Amino acid sequence: MAKMQANQMRAGMVIEFEGQRYTIIRQNIMIPGKGNAIIQVDMRNIKTGAKKDQRWRTADVVERLTTEDKEFTYSYAEGEMLVLMDPETFEQTQVPNTILGDRLPFLQENMTVNVRLIEGDPVAMDLPELVTLEIAEADPVVKGQTASSSYKPALLVNGIKTMVPPFITTGERIVVRTEDASYVERAKG
């Protein structure tokens, strides 16, 4: 275990807090009008899957756990578990689907994922930054609306809602950021 300042925490890191192991989901630095900056962290308990909201001062020290990163290929879902395959040994490993949290809908078959392990136990999983998905439903283009105007709502095939430019129509494939489900570009090819 290594000590680090609270302001060095980033999403995906694994820390030990109050005797429990947590994966950091989101980190936000808040600077009030008066006083010192505060780090607000959303984290998930590795064992129970429960979310916790915690605040630290920037100078506070936390325990960061040493993790080993390993690439796996996602095979399929079996109930509440995700089945991953080691591309080198072809061994299958199961991890709970809660490990991905809000990003679970972006997981696709045969996708290469990065799994963080502590003593061989999976504690966190990273998806590729960008994924290509099809638009299941999009509002029609309003005549006279220019391309530089506001975005319109669209529903992706995985059930996630996102905002897309007016020229995107139902059935088109777009590139989406897995972190926040935001539109990046129209898929090429």
Side-chain angles (χ1 to χ4, degrees), residues 163-183:
M163 299 299 281
V164 296
F167 57 83
I168 299 292
T169 59
T170 301
E172 278 194 70
R173 293 177 56 78
I174 63 168
V175 177
V176 179
R177 197 174 310 282
T178 55
E179 188 179 327
D180 57 4
S182 61
Y183 169 84

Side-chain angles (χ1 to χ4, degrees), residues 79-112:
E80 298 288 311
M81 303 299 277
L82 304 173
V83 179
L84 307 175
M85 183 184 69
D86 187 330
E88 294 168 14
T89 63
F90 301 106
E91 286 182 26
Q92 290 190 338
T93 304
Q94 289 193 343
V95 296
N97 61 12
T98 55
I99 201 168
L100 277 175
D102 302 341
R103 298 169 301 151
L104 182 62
F106 294 107
L107 189 62
Q108 299 170 355
E109 281 188 19
N110 299 321
M111 180 181 274
T112 299

Side-chain angles (χ1 to χ4, degrees), residues 1-41:
M1 283 193 280
K3 292 187 183 293
M4 69 174 181
Q5 285 190 309
N7 63 350
Q8 294 175 320
M9 286 192 276
R10 299 288 178 261
M13 286 184 174
V14 180
I15 63 166
E16 189 165 301
F17 178 66
E18 295 175 346
Q20 299 284 318
R21 292 176 175 176
Y22 291 91
T23 302
I24 298 183
I25 301 169
R26 203 171 294 118
Q27 171 256 21
N28 188 22
I29 297 177
M30 297 186 313
I31 304 170
K34 191 174 184 181
N36 295 332
I38 296 169
I39 312 295
Q40 180 159 347
V41 176

Side-chain angles (χ1 to χ4, degrees), residues 106-130:
F106 294 107
L107 189 62
Q108 299 170 355
E109 281 188 19
N110 299 321
M111 180 181 274
T112 299
V113 295
N114 186 43
V115 178
R116 279 195 194 84
L117 307 162
I118 294 179
E119 298 163 5
D121 294 330
V123 293
M125 190 158 100
D126 292 329
L127 296 177
E129 188 180 335
L130 304 173

Side-chain angles (χ1 to χ4, degrees), residues 138-153 164-169:
D139 294 344
V141 178
V142 177
K143 232 180 167 86
Q145 201 174 24
T146 62
S148 62
S149 71
S150 63
Y151 281 34
K152 65 181 184 180
V164 296
F167 57 83
I168 299 292
T169 59

